[in-house]
């Protein structure tokens, strides 16, 4: 697939100079990523403080090299140049965004923030284990306080929350997120009420509680990946971590992880397929973008649209379940039918945990977090009231109240890591995933290999050259929440005989 004229994405002299200097930064982020991956997978527990120190030092070195006056003036120079190719403009856009961050945020603030969050994740783990939100409260107060400060450094037009969202999805605003949730809130509520009052509604599916064989489960995960990506093992691997994630060091070295529990095999399998969707973005990026700021995806909404596409439209589909049914039977050690697995993979029921939520209830978990984050950043809510507000919103949206804060406001790691403004990208990405599915379905493409090629053509090959909006325009699309809403309504009305 040729993406660029003469296979050369970069020709401009200034940009070529930038890319040459950028290789040092790329090398640092490469080793940081390997180190971060090891920390989550194989590092012995006591390695944590040395690793934290090393990673902290590397990020300081990274910043110093980035702010080298020659590099900075090259970025400014390229920014004023006309006639750049799309790829070149992408490089300048991404670097200018990072530069703005480094120029506006004092190094002392970044150092304090990194120290605070490394302590906070430890305290958060303890607070979650002990179900003690008071223990975490002073840290959370500081984290939100520093995020407010960060928003002031970064500057914004309407809401300080805009500046925080912009870190995860360039240009995304609170008003846009709000109008998206206003579009989907009622239809999802109506759908959920229909489902929970249907005769076919089950709070628990018996397959969720079926014990499974972890070795056979790992075999199935590997088999699925090998089927979807024959080069699995060569440029792509799977490991285990406490929470599934994807990381990519190069388009020729991408890693994903999954988790294993005693029961609920779908959790392990669907995590694998979800992360595969993220990995595929990096694996199928144009090789000409390797070692540049635009290699691989950087928009979190686009990235999540890829992972959710594979999870929801492939992993939860009848065809996929039928294909791997014999292996699933081995995993749980009994004769299960594909329709049993289908209703298990597509069960809808309000629950306390975001990561276990289904396609319908998931977005209420995000709305709740968005409303709390925005309220605190804009000064309307207080951190000490989070557990109470949390429970009230859970009651309002899902009709349940978590018994403990561990299953409530303490469940996610994001805040302890300092990330405020991240959550909305999950819902937006999921909805965008529905639009890719619509495009794939309309094209009549059926085989997974052909679907991969389509996604490569539409999205992956461009890496981060385009912003979300530009990428959609390029594909003659506009973000449209009604597409995924329609899919959810049709699918679940059918499943629940409504
Ligand atoms: Mg994801």
């Amino acid at each position: 697939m040729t993406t660029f004229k003469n296979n050369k994405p970069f020709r401009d002299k200034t940009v070529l100079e930038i890319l040459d200097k950028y290789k040092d930064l790329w090398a640092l982020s490469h080793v940081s990523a390997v180190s971060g991956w090891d920390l989550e997978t194989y590092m012995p527990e006591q390695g944590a403080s040395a690793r934290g120190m090393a990673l902290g030092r590397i990020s300081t070195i990274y910043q110093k090299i980035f702010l080298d006056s020659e590099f900075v003036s090259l970025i400014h120079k390229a920014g004023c140049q006309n006639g750049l190719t799309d790829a070149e403009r992408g490089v300048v856009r991404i670097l200018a965004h990072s530069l703005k961050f480094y120029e506006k945020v004092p190094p002392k603030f970044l150092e304090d923030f990194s120290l605070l969050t490394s302590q906070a994740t430890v305290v958060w783990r303890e607070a979650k284990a002990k179900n003690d939100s008071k223990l975490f409260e002073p840290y959370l107060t500081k984290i939100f306080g520093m995020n407010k400060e960060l928003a002031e450094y970064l500057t914004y037009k309407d809401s300080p929350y805009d500046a925080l969202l912009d870190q995860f999805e360039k240009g995304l605003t609170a008003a846009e997120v709000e109008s998206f949730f206003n579009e989907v809130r009622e239809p999802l509520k109506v759908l959920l009420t229909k489902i929970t009052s249907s005769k076919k509604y089950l709070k628990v599916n018996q397959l969720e509680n079926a014990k499974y064989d972890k070795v056979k489960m790992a075999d199935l995960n590997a088999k699925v990946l090998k089927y979807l990506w024959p080069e699995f093992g060569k440029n792509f691997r799977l490991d285990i971590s406490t929470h599934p994630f994807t990381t990519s060091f190069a388009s020729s070295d991408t890693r994903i992880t999954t988790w294993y529990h005693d029961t609920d095999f779908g959790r392990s399998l669907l995590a694998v397929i979800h992360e595969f969707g993220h990995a595929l973005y990096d694996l199928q990026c144009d090789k000409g973008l390797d070692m540049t700021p635009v290699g691989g995806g950087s928009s979190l909404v686009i990235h999540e649209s890829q992972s959710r596409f594979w999870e929801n439209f492939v992993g939860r589909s009848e065809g996929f379940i039928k294909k791997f049914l014999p292996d699933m039977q081995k995993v749980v050690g009994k004769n299960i039918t594909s329709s049993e697995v289908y209703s298990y993979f597509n069960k809808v029921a309000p629950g306390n945990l975001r990561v276990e939520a289904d396609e319908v209830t998931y977005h209420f978990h995000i709305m709740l977090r968005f409303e709390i984050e925005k309220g605190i950043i804009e000064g309307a809510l207080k951190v000490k009231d989070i557990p109470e507000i949390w429970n009230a919103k859970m009651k309002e949206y899902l009709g349940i109240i978590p018994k403990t804060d561990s299953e409530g406001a303490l469940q996610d790691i994001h805040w302890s890591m300092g990330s405020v403004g991240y959550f909305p990208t999950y819902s937006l990405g999921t909805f965008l995933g529905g639009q890719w599915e619509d495009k794939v379905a309309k094209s009549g493409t059926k085989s997974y290999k052909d679907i991969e090629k389509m996604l490569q053509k539409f999205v992956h090959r461009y890496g981060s050259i385009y912003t979300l909006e530009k990428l959609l325009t390029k594909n003659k699309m506009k973000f449209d929440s009604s597409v995924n809403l329609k899919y959810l309504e049709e699918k679940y009305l059918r499943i629940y005989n409504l």
Side-chain angles (χ1 to χ4, degrees):
M1 192 175 295
T2 46
T3 309
F4 310 106
K5 225 178 178 177
N6 309 321
N7 266 335
K8 276 197 176 152
F10 309 107
R11 308 180 298 243
D12 180 81
K13 214 179 124 266
T14 313
V15 173
L16 289 172
E17 263 183 84
I18 289 176
L19 292 177
D20 186 50
K21 288 193 182 293
Y22 179 79
K23 289 217 173 84
D24 288 344
L25 294 168
W26 170 81
L28 286 173
S29 41
H30 182 93
V31 292
S32 291
V34 177
S35 189
W37 167 82
D38 172 74
L39 183 148
E40 302 283 345
T41 51
Y42 293 101
M43 188 188 74
E45 215 176 293
Q46 290 184 9
S49 76
R51 185 60 49 88
M53 181 71 91
L55 285 170
R57 284 286 166 136
I58 291 182
S59 78
T60 313
I61 300 170
Y62 187 97
Q63 196 179 344
K64 257 188 213 152
I65 299 182
F66 199 108
L67 291 174
D68 169 76
S69 59
E70 217 179 309
F71 189 62
V72 171
S73 60
L74 282 170
I75 298 173
H76 286 309
K77 188 177 163 196
C80 306
Q81 237 149 286
N82 291 321
L84 295 184
T85 62
D86 284 5
E88 289 163 349
R89 270 198 297 270
V91 166
V92 177
R93 188 191 90 248
I94 298 263
L95 292 177
H97 192 250
S98 306
L99 181 61
K100 179 186 144 194
F101 183 87
Y102 287 136
E103 283 181 337
K104 291 194 170 177
V105 186
K108 174 84 176 82
F109 174 90
L110 290 179
E111 208 182 307
D112 291 348
F113 194 60
S114 141
L115 190 66
L116 169 65
T117 53
S118 63
Q119 290 165 343
T121 41
V122 176
V123 178
W124 165 75
R125 259 178 241 283
E126 193 189 338
K128 190 178 170 183
K130 291 184 176 162
N131 184 35
D132 183 356
S133 53
K134 281 283 159 219
L135 188 65
F136 186 49
E137 194 189 295
Y139 289 87
L140 193 56
T141 306
K142 278 187 204 151
I143 284 171
F144 270 101
M146 286 193 86
N147 265 286
K148 279 190 199 180
E149 206 182 322
L150 178 62
E152 297 307 320
Y153 289 131
L154 293 172
T155 69
Y156 51 86
K157 233 172 77 196
D158 298 319
S159 163
Y161 192 67
D162 294 350
L164 303 179
L165 285 168
D166 180 73
Q167 299 178 96
F168 306 104
E169 188 60 52
K170 200 168 179 266
L172 184 64
T173 64
E176 282 168 339
V177 177
E178 202 144 57
S179 87
F180 162 67
F181 282 136
N182 287 342
E183 282 163 24
V184 303
R185 189 180 290 109
E186 262 321 292
L188 288 175
K189 260 191 190 172
V190 172
L191 179 60
L192 182 61
T193 311
K194 281 186 188 165
I195 291 171
T196 53
S197 44
S198 139
K199 281 199 183 103
K200 285 185 88 179
Y201 174 64
L202 278 178
K203 267 190 196 154
V204 184
N205 182 297
Q206 51 125 352
L207 278 179
E208 268 167 77
N209 295 325
K211 284 223 174 346
Y212 69 79
D213 182 314
K214 287 181 196 168
V215 176
K216 291 189 175 120
M217 185 70 237
D219 289 345
L220 170 57
N221 286 338
K223 187 174 174 179
V224 167
L225 290 174
K226 187 87 192 163
Y227 182 78
L228 294 174
W229 190 256
E231 283 177 284
F232 176 63
K234 289 183 188 144
N235 52 15
F236 175 35
R237 57 176 285 143
L238 170 69
D239 293 275
I240 304 170
S241 63
T242 25
H243 202 282
F245 69 93
T246 300
T247 181
S248 181
F249 314 139
S251 65
S252 52
D253 187 356
T254 295
R255 318 279 176 101
I256 66 170
T257 66
T258 191
W259 49 13
Y260 295 93
H261 307 88
D262 295 319
T263 57
D264 206 357
F265 75 91
R267 245 180 121 182
S268 181
L269 182 59
L270 290 169
V272 164
I273 302 168
H274 177 101
E275 300 308 330
F276 167 75
H278 282 303
L280 193 63
Y281 193 163
D282 296 307
L283 289 164
Q284 295 205 116
C285 181
D286 193 289
K287 300 278 176 230
L289 305 181
D290 271 351
M291 291 179 253
T292 75
V294 289
S298 68
S299 149
L300 292 188
V301 172
I302 302 176
H303 238 302
E304 193 69 5
S305 76
Q306 299 306 298
S307 56
R308 287 296 197 182
F309 172 89
W310 287 92
E311 177 191 347
N312 292 340
F313 301 103
V314 176
R316 295 183 204 275
S317 73
E318 271 160 328
F320 178 83
I321 292 169
K322 280 194 180 132
K323 166 120 198 84
F324 292 100
L325 186 66
D327 303 276
M328 293 178 192
Q329 290 173 336
K330 278 185 214 154
V331 166
V332 288
K334 56 181 174 187
N335 234 341
I336 46 175
T337 65
S338 59
S339 67
E340 281 167 344
V341 180
Y342 185 76
S343 44
Y344 160 44
F345 280 10
N346 293 287
K347 187 201 81 172
V348 171
N352 290 322
L353 302 180
R354 177 185 64 84
V355 294
E356 288 181 15
D358 54 77
E359 288 181 280
V360 178
T361 57
Y362 186 83
H363 305 288
F364 293 108
H365 292 273
I366 303 298
M367 281 179 227
L368 171 163
R369 285 157 177 77
F370 164 69
E371 288 159 16
I372 290 176
E373 288 186 339
K374 182 173 171 285
I376 292 173
I377 295 300
E378 290 181 348
L381 302 176
K382 287 198 172 67
V383 171
K384 71 171 178 43
D385 299 326
I386 290 179
E388 203 184 313
I389 303 166
W390 188 283
N391 291 351
K393 288 192 184 287
M394 280 296 287
K395 177 88 187 141
E396 182 196 339
Y397 284 146
L398 295 171
I400 52 174
I401 293 177
K403 286 198 184 73
T404 64
D405 289 337
S406 305
E407 291 208 323
L410 286 174
Q411 67 182 271
D412 294 307
I413 196 172
H414 302 62
W415 290 343
S416 77
M417 291 169 74
S419 305
V420 175
Y422 191 118
F423 288 116
T425 65
Y426 287 138
S427 271
L428 291 163
T430 305
F431 268 72
L432 181 59
Q435 291 186 252
W436 297 122
E437 162 60 15
D438 187 54
K439 219 168 153 67
V440 168
K442 279 182 181 145
S443 76
T445 311
K446 287 256 164 25
S447 87
Y448 297 149
K449 197 76 243 161
D450 288 342
I451 293 176
E452 287 171 7
K453 277 192 197 139
M454 259 190 108
L455 293 173
Q456 180 177 33
K457 188 175 149 216
F458 294 149
V459 184
H460 304 163
R461 58 175 169 153
Y462 298 121
S464 317
I465 290 178
Y466 300 110
T467 59
L468 167 63
E469 207 187 342
K470 274 258 177 71
L471 183 81
L472 293 181
T473 314
K474 211 167 162 61
N475 284 296
K476 301 185 180 59
M477 289 160 72
K478 247 184 112 131
F479 184 85
D480 179 0
S481 61
S482 73
V483 178
N484 199 57
L485 272 180
K486 187 164 162 260
Y487 146 77
L488 290 173
E489 278 158 4
E490 285 176 3
K491 173 173 170 180
Y492 288 99
L493 297 184
R494 176 173 51 80
I495 292 179
Y496 286 90
N497 269 347
L498 296 162

